[in-house]
Amino acid sequence: MANTDFHLEFQEFEDDQGFIKSNQGSTTVTIDDPIKSRKQRKATGTAPEEEEIDPLDSNDQTELLSGEKKSAPFWTFEFYQTLFDVDSHQVKNRIVGSILPWPGKNFVEVYLRSNPDLYGPFWICATLVFAIAISGNISSFVVNHGQPKYKYVPDFRKVTMAATAIYSYAWLVPLALWGFLSWRNTKITSLVSYSFMQIVCVYGYSLSIYIPAVILWIIPSEGLRWFSIVVALCLSGSVLVMTFWPAIRDDKPRITIAIIATIVILHVLLAVGCKACFFSRPTYEMDPSEDHNEPLRTTSTLSST
């Protein structure tokens, strides 16, 4: 059996110059410490010119390290693209948070933070518009069904009227509120400030509770309709009050009361106005064919007599 024992022996290599002389035909690779070699080149005065640094790269690195990114101007496509950069999970949580408000939780701080969106408010308003128009037509048909002189004619004007009312409320009221709060921030610096998009987002999501309420208005029961209105007003109104209370609580008491009262009154007017305009008992339309046939039936009866 062969002896497999072997000994490890440390050999001393020759110095660099001796090794190079003995291996003149070989290729050598030298690995130097970059910091040390740079210092040596600076000491000997043979340091090359500094490489140019791209200012765009340095700005991007600074923004990434600081955790902030400059927002695009509002006239660019990138600005509005960020407002629709939201996933379905976030939209669902924001809808649930607007339908089931929790005392002491601010909707902006808990659900929006610094990422408001327009995707949810836009489709909530659009769904509410069609829900009001369709439910109003169905309610008119249910109430007047069975009338001898009633002829069902869908009223497409309800879509235009509902869209004007809902989108005006979802945009003009937040615009006025944002302008007033911005003006008060110049007077009192300790007030909490909200951006215009955050206020629009809060108002848009607060209307989501009205979609199931409007569907219930198809049932021809005034008690059920007013009950659903009161429930929707309490839930959505509490979201608005708890959200904007931190922004006005440090202001003068009369101004605070006036702002809260205005927010609640406008919210009540929207709900009651939609109910009165689209779900009041309509006057049914006479069937013109029956009006023309009635004289013929009378004439034929007299002639036979």
Side-chain angles (χ1 to χ4, degrees):
M1 183 174 179
N3 187 11
T4 58
D5 296 337
F6 61 93
H7 299 280
L8 295 177
E9 296 181 357
F10 293 94
Q11 298 180 359
E12 294 182 1
F13 292 94
E14 301 176 358
D15 56 354
D16 295 341
Q17 294 181 355
F19 180 77
I20 293 174
K21 290 180 180 179
S22 60
N23 300 278
Q24 294 181 357
S26 60
T27 303
T28 59
V29 178
T30 305
I31 301 176
D32 296 332
D33 186 0
I35 300 176
K36 183 178 179 180
S37 60
R38 191 181 300 113
K39 291 181 179 179
Q40 292 177 353
R41 288 195 297 267
K42 287 183 179 180
T44 56
T46 58
E49 297 181 357
E50 296 182 356
E51 297 179 357
E52 296 182 358
I53 301 175
D54 190 358
L56 296 178
D57 295 339
S58 61
N59 291 335
D60 292 340
Q61 292 176 358
T62 304
E63 292 172 356
L64 290 174
L65 292 175
S66 61
E68 298 179 354
K69 193 77 173 177
K70 292 183 179 179
S71 59
F74 70 92
W75 60 83
T76 60
F77 178 76
E78 289 77 9
F79 175 79
Y80 299 95
Q81 186 178 8
T82 57
L83 297 176
F84 289 87
D85 186 13
V86 63
D87 55 16
S88 58
H89 181 70
Q90 290 176 327
V91 174
K92 183 190 71 174
N93 289 338
R94 293 175 182 183
I95 292 175
V96 172
S98 64
I99 294 177
L100 301 174
W102 194 259
K105 286 189 177 182
N106 191 321
F107 187 81
V108 174
E109 295 178 356
V110 175
Y111 298 101
L112 299 185
R113 297 182 182 90
S114 60
N115 185 29
D117 70 286
L118 290 182
Y119 179 84
F122 174 80
W123 286 111
I124 288 173
C125 293
T127 306
L128 182 60
V129 167
F130 285 101
I132 291 175
I134 295 173
S135 300
N137 284 311
I138 295 176
S139 175
S140 177
F141 173 77
V142 171
V143 170
N144 296 286
H145 181 65
Q147 297 290 339
K149 297 180 180 181
Y150 171 72
K151 180 182 178 181
Y152 174 72
V153 177
D155 190 1
F156 294 101
R157 294 177 300 175
K158 291 183 177 181
V159 178
T160 305
M161 296 171 60
T164 303
I166 296 301
Y167 279 101
S168 298
Y169 175 81
W171 282 93
L172 296 181
V173 175
L175 179 62
L177 183 60
W178 170 74
F180 183 81
L181 294 179
S182 299
W183 173 65
R184 295 306 300 173
N185 277 327
T186 60
K187 303 293 183 180
I188 304 175
T189 57
S190 61
L191 296 178
V192 178
S193 61
Y194 294 138
S195 65
F196 174 65
M197 289 302 168
Q198 286 178 331
I199 299 177
V200 170
C201 191
V202 172
Y203 266 87
Y205 279 104
S206 67
L207 297 177
S208 59
I209 186 61
Y210 285 106
I211 296 176
V214 166
I215 296 175
L216 289 177
W217 292 354
I218 297 176
I219 302 174
S221 174
E222 290 297 319
L224 179 62
R225 290 176 178 177
W226 284 110
F227 176 76
S228 62
I229 288 175
V230 172
V231 172
L233 281 174
C234 292
L235 293 177
S236 58
S238 61
V239 172
L240 296 177
V241 172
M242 288 189 298
T243 300
F244 296 109
W245 174 252
I248 59 176
R249 62 185 175 187
D250 294 334
D251 209 332
K252 297 179 180 179
R254 60 179 182 179
I255 295 179
T256 302
I257 295 174
I259 294 175
I260 293 296
T262 303
I263 292 174
V264 174
I265 290 173
L266 291 177
H267 211 57
V268 172
L269 288 178
L270 176 68
V272 176
C274 289
K275 192 269 177 189
C277 182
F278 299 101
F279 293 90
S280 60
R281 184 180 180 86
T283 57
Y284 57 85
E285 185 177 350
M286 300 287 291
D287 191 349
S289 60
E290 295 184 359
D291 295 338
H292 291 295
N293 293 332
E294 188 66 27
L296 295 177
R297 293 174 184 174
T298 307
T299 305
S300 60
T301 305
L302 292 175
S303 60
S304 63
T305 303

